[in-house]
Coordinates of all heavy atoms in Angstrom, one line a residue:
M55 N 63.9 -94.3 -90.2 CA 64.0 -93.5 -89.0 C 64.5 -94.3 -87.8 O 65.2 -93.9 -87.0 CB 62.7 -92.8 -88.7 CG 62.7 -91.9 -87.5 SD 63.8 -90.5 -87.6 CE 62.8 -89.4 -88.5
T56 N 64.0 -95.6 -87.7 CA 64.4 -96.4 -86.6 C 65.9 -96.6 -86.5 O 66.5 -96.5 -85.4 CB 63.8 -97.8 -86.7 OG1 62.3 -97.6 -86.8 CG2 64.1 -98.7 -85.5
A57 N 66.6 -96.7 -87.7 CA 68.1 -96.9 -87.7 C 68.7 -95.6 -87.1 O 69.7 -95.7 -86.4 CB 68.6 -97.2 -89.1
I58 N 68.2 -94.4 -87.4 CA 68.8 -93.2 -86.9 C 68.6 -93.1 -85.4 O 69.6 -92.8 -84.7 CB 68.1 -92.0 -87.6 CG1 68.4 -91.9 -89.1 CG2 68.5 -90.7 -86.9 CD1 67.6 -90.9 -89.9
V59 N 67.4 -93.4 -84.9 CA 67.2 -93.4 -83.5 C 68.0 -94.4 -82.8 O 68.7 -94.1 -81.8 CB 65.7 -93.6 -83.2 CG1 65.4 -93.7 -81.7 CG2 64.8 -92.5 -83.8
R60 N 68.1 -95.6 -83.3 CA 68.9 -96.6 -82.7 C 70.4 -96.2 -82.6 O 71.0 -96.3 -81.6 CB 68.8 -98.0 -83.5 CG 69.6 -99.1 -82.9 CD 69.4 -100.4 -83.6 NE 68.1 -100.9 -83.1 CZ 67.1 -101.2 -84.0 NH1 67.3 -101.1 -85.3 NH2 66.0 -101.7 -83.5
A61 N 70.9 -95.7 -83.7 CA 72.3 -95.3 -83.7 C 72.6 -94.2 -82.7 O 73.6 -94.2 -82.0 CB 72.7 -94.8 -85.1
E62 N 71.7 -93.2 -82.6 CA 71.9 -92.1 -81.7 C 71.7 -92.5 -80.3 O 72.5 -92.1 -79.4 CB 70.9 -90.9 -82.0 CG 71.2 -89.7 -81.3 CD 72.6 -89.0 -81.7 OE1 73.1 -89.3 -82.8 OE2 73.1 -88.3 -80.9
I63 N 70.8 -93.4 -80.0 CA 70.6 -93.9 -78.6 C 71.9 -94.7 -78.2 O 72.4 -94.5 -77.1 CB 69.4 -94.9 -78.5 CG1 68.1 -94.1 -78.7 CG2 69.4 -95.7 -77.3 CD1 67.6 -93.4 -77.5
E64 N 72.4 -95.5 -79.1 CA 73.6 -96.3 -78.8 C 74.8 -95.3 -78.6 O 75.6 -95.5 -77.6 CB 74.0 -97.3 -79.9 CG 73.0 -98.4 -79.9 CD 73.2 -99.3 -81.1 OE1 74.1 -99.1 -82.0 OE2 72.5 -100.3 -81.2
H65 N 74.9 -94.3 -79.4 CA 76.0 -93.3 -79.3 C 75.9 -92.5 -78.0 O 76.9 -92.4 -77.3 CB 75.9 -92.3 -80.5 CG 76.9 -91.2 -80.4 ND1 78.3 -91.4 -80.6 CD2 76.7 -89.9 -80.1 CE1 78.9 -90.2 -80.4 NE2 77.9 -89.3 -80.1
R66 N 74.7 -92.0 -77.6 CA 74.6 -91.2 -76.4 C 74.5 -92.0 -75.1 O 75.0 -91.5 -74.1 CB 73.3 -90.4 -76.6 CG 73.4 -89.3 -77.6 CD 72.2 -88.4 -77.5 NE 72.2 -87.4 -78.5 CZ 71.7 -86.2 -78.5 NH1 71.1 -85.9 -77.4 NH2 71.8 -85.4 -79.5
F67 N 73.9 -93.1 -75.1 CA 73.6 -93.8 -73.9 C 74.3 -95.2 -73.7 O 74.2 -95.8 -72.7 CB 72.1 -94.0 -73.7 CG 71.3 -92.7 -73.9 CD1 70.5 -92.5 -74.9 CD2 71.5 -91.7 -73.0 CE1 69.8 -91.3 -75.1 CE2 70.8 -90.5 -73.1 CZ 69.9 -90.3 -74.2
G68 N 75.0 -95.6 -74.7 CA 75.6 -96.9 -74.7 C 74.7 -98.0 -74.3 O 73.6 -98.1 -74.9
D69 N 75.0 -98.8 -73.3 CA 74.2 -100.0 -73.0 C 73.1 -99.6 -71.9 O 72.4 -100.5 -71.4 CB 75.1 -101.2 -72.5 CG 75.8 -100.8 -71.2 OD1 75.8 -99.7 -70.8 OD2 76.5 -101.8 -70.7
K70 N 73.0 -98.4 -71.6 CA 71.9 -97.9 -70.6 C 70.5 -97.9 -71.3 O 69.6 -97.9 -70.5 CB 72.3 -96.6 -70.1 CG 73.5 -96.5 -69.2 CD 73.8 -95.1 -68.7 CE 75.1 -95.1 -68.0 NZ 75.4 -93.7 -67.6
A71 N 70.5 -97.9 -72.6 CA 69.2 -97.8 -73.3 C 69.3 -98.6 -74.6 O 70.4 -98.8 -75.1 CB 68.8 -96.4 -73.5
R72 N 68.1 -99.1 -75.0 CA 68.1 -99.7 -76.3 C 66.8 -99.5 -77.1 O 65.8 -99.1 -76.4 CB 68.3 -101.2 -76.2 CG 67.3 -101.9 -75.4 CD 67.6 -103.4 -75.1 NE 66.7 -103.9 -74.1 CZ 66.2 -105.1 -74.2 NH1 66.5 -105.9 -75.1 NH2 65.4 -105.5 -73.3
V73 N 66.8 -99.6 -78.4 CA 65.7 -99.4 -79.2 C 65.2 -100.7 -79.7 O 65.9 -101.5 -80.2 CB 66.0 -98.5 -80.4 CG1 64.9 -98.4 -81.4 CG2 66.5 -97.1 -80.0
L74 N 63.9 -101.0 -79.5 CA 63.2 -102.2 -80.0 C 62.1 -101.7 -80.9 O 61.4 -100.7 -80.6 CB 62.6 -103.0 -78.9 CG 63.6 -103.5 -77.8 CD1 62.9 -104.1 -76.7 CD2 64.6 -104.4 -78.4
Y75 N 62.0 -102.3 -82.0 CA 60.9 -102.0 -83.0 C 60.0 -103.2 -83.2 O 60.5 -104.3 -83.4 CB 61.5 -101.6 -84.3 CG 60.5 -101.4 -85.4 CD1 59.8 -100.2 -85.5 CD2 60.2 -102.4 -86.3 CE1 58.8 -100.0 -86.4 CE2 59.2 -102.2 -87.3 CZ 58.5 -101.0 -87.3 OH 57.6 -100.8 -88.3
Y76 N 58.7 -102.9 -83.0 CA 57.7 -104.0 -83.1 C 56.7 -103.6 -84.2 O 56.0 -102.5 -84.0 CB 57.0 -104.3 -81.8 CG 57.9 -104.8 -80.7 CD1 58.0 -104.0 -79.6 CD2 58.6 -106.0 -80.8 CE1 58.9 -104.5 -78.5 CE2 59.4 -106.4 -79.8 CZ 59.5 -105.7 -78.7 OH 60.4 -106.1 -77.7
D77 N 56.6 -104.3 -85.3 CA 55.7 -104.0 -86.3 C 54.4 -104.7 -86.0 O 54.2 -105.9 -86.3 CB 56.2 -104.5 -87.7 CG 55.3 -104.2 -88.8 OD1 54.1 -103.7 -88.6 OD2 55.7 -104.4 -90.0
T78 N 53.5 -104.0 -85.3 CA 52.3 -104.7 -84.8 C 51.2 -104.9 -85.9 O 50.1 -105.4 -85.6 CB 51.6 -103.9 -83.6 OG1 51.4 -102.6 -84.1 CG2 52.6 -103.9 -82.4
S79 N 51.5 -104.5 -87.1 CA 50.7 -104.9 -88.2 C 50.8 -106.4 -88.6 O 50.0 -107.0 -89.2 CB 50.9 -104.1 -89.5 OG 52.2 -104.4 -90.0
R80 N 51.9 -107.0 -88.0 CA 52.1 -108.5 -88.2 C 51.3 -109.1 -87.0 O 51.6 -108.9 -85.9 CB 53.5 -108.8 -88.2 CG 54.3 -108.2 -89.4 CD 55.7 -108.4 -89.4 NE 56.1 -109.8 -89.1 CZ 57.3 -110.1 -88.7 NH1 58.2 -109.2 -88.6 NH2 57.6 -111.4 -88.5
P81 N 50.4 -110.0 -87.3 CA 49.6 -110.6 -86.3 C 50.4 -111.3 -85.2 O 50.0 -111.2 -84.0 CB 48.7 -111.7 -87.0 CG 48.7 -111.2 -88.4 CD 50.0 -110.5 -88.7
E82 N 51.5 -112.0 -85.5 CA 52.3 -112.7 -84.5 C 52.9 -111.7 -83.5 O 53.1 -112.0 -82.4 CB 53.3 -113.7 -85.1 CG 54.4 -113.0 -85.9 CD 54.1 -112.6 -87.3 OE1 52.9 -112.6 -87.8 OE2 55.1 -112.3 -88.0
I83 N 53.3 -110.6 -84.1 CA 53.9 -109.5 -83.2 C 52.9 -108.9 -82.3 O 53.1 -108.7 -81.1 CB 54.6 -108.4 -84.0 CG1 55.7 -109.1 -85.0 CG2 55.2 -107.3 -83.2 CD1 56.8 -109.7 -84.2
A84 N 51.7 -108.6 -82.9 CA 50.6 -108.0 -82.1 C 50.2 -109.0 -81.0 O 50.0 -108.6 -79.8 CB 49.4 -107.7 -83.0
A85 N 50.2 -110.3 -81.3 CA 49.8 -111.2 -80.3 C 50.8 -111.3 -79.2 O 50.5 -111.5 -78.0 CB 49.6 -112.6 -80.9
A86 N 52.1 -111.3 -79.5 CA 53.2 -111.4 -78.5 C 53.2 -110.1 -77.6 O 53.7 -110.2 -76.5 CB 54.5 -111.5 -79.2
H87 N 52.6 -109.0 -78.0 CA 52.7 -107.8 -77.3 C 51.3 -107.3 -77.0 O 51.0 -106.0 -77.0 CB 53.5 -106.7 -78.0 CG 54.9 -107.2 -78.2 ND1 55.9 -107.2 -77.2 CD2 55.5 -107.8 -79.2 CE1 57.0 -107.7 -77.6 NE2 56.8 -108.1 -78.9
Q88 N 50.3 -108.2 -76.8 CA 48.9 -107.8 -76.7 C 48.6 -106.8 -75.6 O 47.8 -106.0 -75.8 CB 48.1 -109.1 -76.6 CG 46.6 -108.8 -76.6 CD 46.2 -108.1 -77.9 OE1 46.5 -108.5 -79.0 NE2 45.5 -107.0 -77.8
T89 N 49.3 -106.9 -74.5 CA 49.0 -106.0 -73.4 C 49.3 -104.5 -73.9 O 48.5 -103.6 -73.6 CB 49.8 -106.3 -72.2 OG1 49.5 -107.7 -71.8 CG2 49.6 -105.4 -71.0
M90 N 50.4 -104.3 -74.5 CA 50.7 -103.0 -75.0 C 49.8 -102.5 -76.1 O 49.4 -101.4 -76.1 CB 52.2 -102.9 -75.4 CG 52.6 -101.5 -75.8 SD 52.4 -100.2 -74.6 CE 53.5 -100.7 -73.3
V91 N 49.5 -103.4 -77.0 CA 48.6 -103.1 -78.1 C 47.3 -102.7 -77.5 O 46.7 -101.7 -78.0 CB 48.5 -104.3 -79.1 CG1 47.4 -104.1 -80.1 CG2 49.8 -104.6 -79.8
S92 N 46.8 -103.4 -76.6 CA 45.5 -103.1 -75.9 C 45.6 -101.7 -75.3 O 44.6 -100.9 -75.4 CB 45.1 -104.1 -74.9 OG 44.8 -105.4 -75.6
L93 N 46.6 -101.4 -74.6 CA 46.8 -100.1 -73.9 C 46.8 -99.0 -75.0 O 46.1 -98.0 -74.8 CB 48.1 -100.1 -73.1 CG 48.5 -98.8 -72.4 CD1 47.4 -98.4 -71.4 CD2 49.9 -98.9 -71.8
I94 N 47.5 -99.2 -76.1 CA 47.5 -98.2 -77.1 C 46.2 -98.0 -77.7 O 45.7 -96.9 -77.9 CB 48.6 -98.6 -78.2 CG1 50.0 -98.5 -77.7 CG2 48.4 -97.9 -79.5 CD1 51.1 -99.2 -78.5
Q95 N 45.4 -99.1 -78.0 CA 44.1 -99.0 -78.5 C 43.1 -98.3 -77.5 O 42.3 -97.4 -77.9 CB 43.6 -100.4 -78.9 CG 44.3 -101.0 -80.1 CD 43.9 -102.4 -80.3 OE1 43.4 -103.1 -79.4 NE2 44.2 -102.9 -81.5
D96 N 43.2 -98.7 -76.2 CA 42.4 -98.1 -75.2 C 42.6 -96.6 -75.1 O 41.6 -95.9 -74.8 CB 42.6 -98.8 -73.8 CG 42.1 -100.2 -73.8 OD1 41.4 -100.6 -74.7 OD2 42.5 -100.9 -72.8
Q97 N 43.8 -96.2 -75.3 CA 44.1 -94.7 -75.1 C 43.8 -94.0 -76.4 O 44.0 -92.8 -76.5 CB 45.6 -94.5 -74.8 CG 45.9 -95.0 -73.3 CD 47.3 -94.7 -72.9 OE1 48.1 -94.0 -73.6 NE2 47.7 -95.2 -71.8
G98 N 43.4 -94.7 -77.5 CA 43.1 -94.1 -78.8 C 44.3 -93.5 -79.5 O 44.2 -92.5 -80.2
L99 N 45.5 -94.1 -79.2 CA 46.7 -93.6 -79.9 C 46.8 -94.0 -81.3 O 46.2 -95.0 -81.7 CB 48.0 -94.1 -79.1 CG 48.0 -93.7 -77.6 CD1 49.2 -94.3 -76.9 CD2 48.0 -92.2 -77.4
V100 N 47.6 -93.2 -82.1 CA 47.8 -93.4 -83.5 C 49.2 -93.9 -83.7 O 50.1 -93.4 -83.2 CB 47.5 -92.1 -84.3 CG1 47.8 -92.3 -85.8 CG2 46.1 -91.6 -84.0
Y101 N 49.3 -95.0 -84.5 CA 50.6 -95.5 -84.8 C 51.3 -94.6 -85.8 O 50.7 -94.0 -86.6 CB 50.5 -96.9 -85.5 CG 50.1 -98.0 -84.4 CD1 48.8 -98.4 -84.3 CD2 51.0 -98.5 -83.6 CE1 48.4 -99.4 -83.4 CE2 50.7 -99.5 -82.7 CZ 49.4 -99.9 -82.6 OH 49.0 -100.9 -81.6
P102 N 52.7 -94.6 -85.7 CA 53.5 -95.3 -84.8 C 53.5 -94.7 -83.4 O 53.2 -93.5 -83.2 CB 54.9 -95.1 -85.4 CG 54.9 -93.8 -86.1 CD 53.5 -93.7 -86.6
V103 N 53.7 -95.5 -82.4 CA 53.7 -95.1 -81.0 C 55.1 -95.4 -80.4 O 55.6 -96.5 -80.6 CB 52.6 -95.9 -80.2 CG1 52.7 -95.5 -78.7 CG2 51.2 -95.6 -80.8
T104 N 55.6 -94.4 -79.8 CA 56.9 -94.5 -79.1 C 56.6 -94.8 -77.6 O 55.9 -94.1 -77.0 CB 57.7 -93.2 -79.2 OG1 58.0 -93.0 -80.6 CG2 59.1 -93.4 -78.5
V105 N 57.2 -95.9 -77.2 CA 57.0 -96.3 -75.8 C 58.4 -96.3 -75.1 O 59.4 -96.8 -75.6 CB 56.5 -97.8 -75.7 CG1 56.4 -98.3 -74.3 CG2 55.1 -97.9 -76.5
V106 N 58.5 -95.6 -74.0 CA 59.7 -95.5 -73.2 C 59.5 -96.2 -71.9 O 58.6 -95.8 -71.1 CB 60.1 -94.0 -73.0 CG1 61.4 -93.9 -72.2 CG2 60.4 -93.4 -74.4
D107 N 60.2 -97.2 -71.7 CA 60.2 -98.0 -70.4 C 58.8 -98.4 -70.0 O 58.3 -98.3 -68.9 CB 60.8 -97.1 -69.3 CG 61.3 -98.0 -68.1 OD1 61.5 -99.2 -68.3 OD2 61.5 -97.4 -67.0
G108 N 58.0 -98.9 -71.1 CA 56.7 -99.4 -70.9 C 55.6 -98.4 -70.9 O 54.4 -98.8 -70.7
T109 N 55.9 -97.1 -71.1 CA 54.9 -96.1 -71.1 C 54.8 -95.4 -72.5 O 55.8 -94.9 -73.0 CB 55.2 -95.0 -70.1 OG1 55.3 -95.6 -68.8 CG2 54.2 -93.9 -70.1
P110 N 53.6 -95.5 -73.1 CA 53.5 -94.8 -74.4 C 53.7 -93.3 -74.2 O 53.2 -92.7 -73.3 CB 52.0 -95.0 -74.8 CG 51.6 -96.3 -74.0 CD 52.4 -96.2 -72.7
M111 N 54.6 -92.7 -75.0 CA 55.0 -91.4 -74.9 C 54.5 -90.5 -76.0 O 54.1 -89.3 -75.8 CB 56.6 -91.2 -74.8 CG 57.2 -92.0 -73.7 SD 56.9 -91.3 -72.1 CE 57.8 -89.8 -72.1
Y112 N 54.7 -91.0 -77.3 CA 54.4 -90.2 -78.4 C 53.6 -91.0 -79.4 O 53.9 -92.2 -79.6 CB 55.6 -89.6 -79.1 CG 56.6 -88.9 -78.1 CD1 57.8 -89.5 -77.8 CD2 56.2 -87.7 -77.6 CE1 58.6 -88.9 -76.9 CE2 57.1 -87.0 -76.7 CZ 58.3 -87.6 -76.4 OH 59.1 -87.0 -75.5
D113 N 52.7 -90.4 -80.1 CA 52.0 -91.2 -81.2 C 51.9 -90.4 -82.4 O 52.0 -89.2 -82.4 CB 50.6 -91.7 -80.7 CG 49.6 -90.6 -80.5 OD1 50.0 -89.5 -80.0 OD2 48.4 -90.8 -80.8
G114 N 51.7 -91.0 -83.5 CA 51.4 -90.4 -84.8 C 52.6 -89.9 -85.6 O 52.5 -89.7 -86.8
A115 N 53.7 -89.9 -85.0 CA 55.0 -89.5 -85.7 C 56.1 -89.9 -84.9 O 56.0 -90.2 -83.7 CB 55.0 -88.0 -86.0
V116 N 57.3 -90.0 -85.5 CA 58.5 -90.3 -84.8 C 59.4 -89.1 -84.8 O 59.7 -88.5 -85.8 CB 59.3 -91.5 -85.5 CG1 60.6 -91.7 -84.8 CG2 58.4 -92.7 -85.5
S117 N 59.7 -88.6 -83.6 CA 60.6 -87.4 -83.4 C 61.8 -87.9 -82.6 O 61.7 -88.1 -81.4 CB 59.9 -86.3 -82.7 OG 60.8 -85.3 -82.3
Y118 N 62.9 -88.1 -83.3 CA 64.0 -88.6 -82.6 C 64.6 -87.7 -81.6 O 65.0 -88.1 -80.5 CB 65.0 -89.3 -83.5 CG 66.1 -88.4 -84.1 CD1 67.3 -88.2 -83.4 CD2 66.0 -87.9 -85.3 CE1 68.3 -87.5 -84.0 CE2 67.0 -87.1 -85.9 CZ 68.1 -86.9 -85.2 OH 69.1 -86.1 -85.7
P119 N 64.5 -86.3 -81.7 CA 65.0 -85.5 -80.6 C 64.1 -85.6 -79.4 O 64.6 -85.7 -78.3 CB 64.9 -84.1 -81.2 CG 65.0 -84.3 -82.7 CD 64.3 -85.6 -83.0
A120 N 62.8 -85.8 -79.6 CA 61.9 -86.0 -78.5 C 62.1 -87.3 -77.8 O 62.1 -87.4 -76.6 CB 60.4 -85.9 -78.9
I121 N 62.4 -88.3 -78.6 CA 62.7 -89.6 -78.0 C 64.0 -89.6 -77.2 O 64.1 -90.1 -76.1 CB 62.8 -90.7 -79.1 CG1 61.5 -90.9 -79.8 CG2 63.4 -92.0 -78.5 CD1 61.5 -91.7 -81.0
L122 N 65.0 -88.9 -77.7 CA 66.3 -88.8 -77.0 C 66.1 -88.0 -75.7 O 66.6 -88.4 -74.6 CB 67.3 -88.0 -77.8 CG 67.8 -88.8 -79.1 CD1 68.6 -87.9 -79.9 CD2 68.5 -90.1 -78.7
R123 N 65.2 -87.0 -75.7 CA 65.0 -86.2 -74.4 C 64.2 -87.1 -73.4 O 64.5 -87.1 -72.2 CB 64.2 -85.0 -74.7 CG 65.0 -83.9 -75.4 CD 64.2 -82.5 -75.4 NE 63.0 -82.6 -76.2 CZ 62.9 -82.4 -77.5 NH1 64.1 -82.1 -78.2 NH2 61.8 -82.5 -78.2
A124 N 63.3 -87.9 -73.9 CA 62.5 -88.8 -73.0 C 63.4 -89.8 -72.4 O 63.3 -90.1 -71.2 CB 61.3 -89.4 -73.8
V125 N 64.3 -90.4 -73.2 CA 65.2 -91.4 -72.7 C 66.1 -90.8 -71.7 O 66.4 -91.3 -70.6 CB 66.0 -92.1 -73.8 CG1 67.1 -93.0 -73.3 CG2 65.0 -92.9 -74.7
Q126 N 66.7 -89.6 -72.0 CA 67.6 -88.9 -71.0 C 66.8 -88.6 -69.7 O 67.4 -88.9 -68.6 CB 68.1 -87.6 -71.6 CG 69.1 -86.9 -70.7 CD 70.3 -87.7 -70.5 OE1 71.0 -88.0 -71.5 NE2 70.6 -88.1 -69.3
T127 N 65.6 -88.2 -69.8 CA 64.8 -87.9 -68.6 C 64.6 -89.1 -67.8 O 64.7 -89.1 -66.6 CB 63.5 -87.2 -69.0 OG1 63.7 -86.0 -69.7 CG2 62.6 -87.0 -67.8
R128 N 64.3 -90.2 -68.5 CA 64.0 -91.5 -67.8 C 65.3 -91.9 -67.1 O 65.3 -92.4 -65.9 CB 63.5 -92.5 -68.8 CG 63.3 -93.9 -68.1 CD 62.2 -93.8 -67.1 NE 62.0 -95.1 -66.5 CZ 62.3 -95.4 -65.2 NH1 62.7 -94.4 -64.4 NH2 62.2 -96.6 -64.7
L129 N 66.4 -91.9 -67.8 CA 67.7 -92.3 -67.1 C 68.0 -91.4 -66.0 O 68.5 -91.9 -64.9 CB 68.8 -92.3 -68.2 CG 68.7 -93.4 -69.3 CD1 69.8 -93.1 -70.3 CD2 68.8 -94.7 -68.6
D130 N 67.8 -90.1 -66.1 CA 68.1 -89.1 -65.0 C 67.3 -89.4 -63.8 O 67.7 -89.3 -62.7 CB 67.8 -87.7 -65.5 CG 68.9 -87.2 -66.5 OD1 69.9 -87.9 -66.6 OD2 68.6 -86.2 -67.1
T131 N 66.0 -89.8 -64.0 CA 65.1 -90.1 -62.8 C 65.3 -91.5 -62.2 O 64.9 -91.7 -61.1 CB 63.6 -89.9 -63.2 OG1 63.3 -90.8 -64.2 CG2 63.3 -88.5 -63.6
S132 N 66.0 -92.3 -62.9 CA 66.2 -93.7 -62.4 C 67.5 -93.8 -61.6 O 67.7 -94.9 -61.0 CB 66.2 -94.7 -63.5 OG 67.3 -94.6 -64.4
N133 N 68.3 -92.8 -61.6 CA 69.6 -92.8 -60.9 C 69.4 -92.4 -59.5 O 68.7 -91.6 -59.0 CB 70.6 -92.0 -61.6 CG 71.0 -92.7 -62.9 OD1 71.0 -93.9 -63.0 ND2 71.4 -91.9 -63.9

């Protein structure tokens, strides 16, 4: 699913947005992103968690249409 989302983000938004995937089941990745991992845990979110511009948006499933809408909304509000 990550490849589908990445391809669609690149197609729709070019270099205005990018997809990063962090497998926090790997201890070194969780340690490198401890602040976000703690936020996700504190909020009781279920993995996978989609984060847009530093804000957890969706948890428990990946919906690429929802992600695309969230990215578009974020880009619209940042202009």
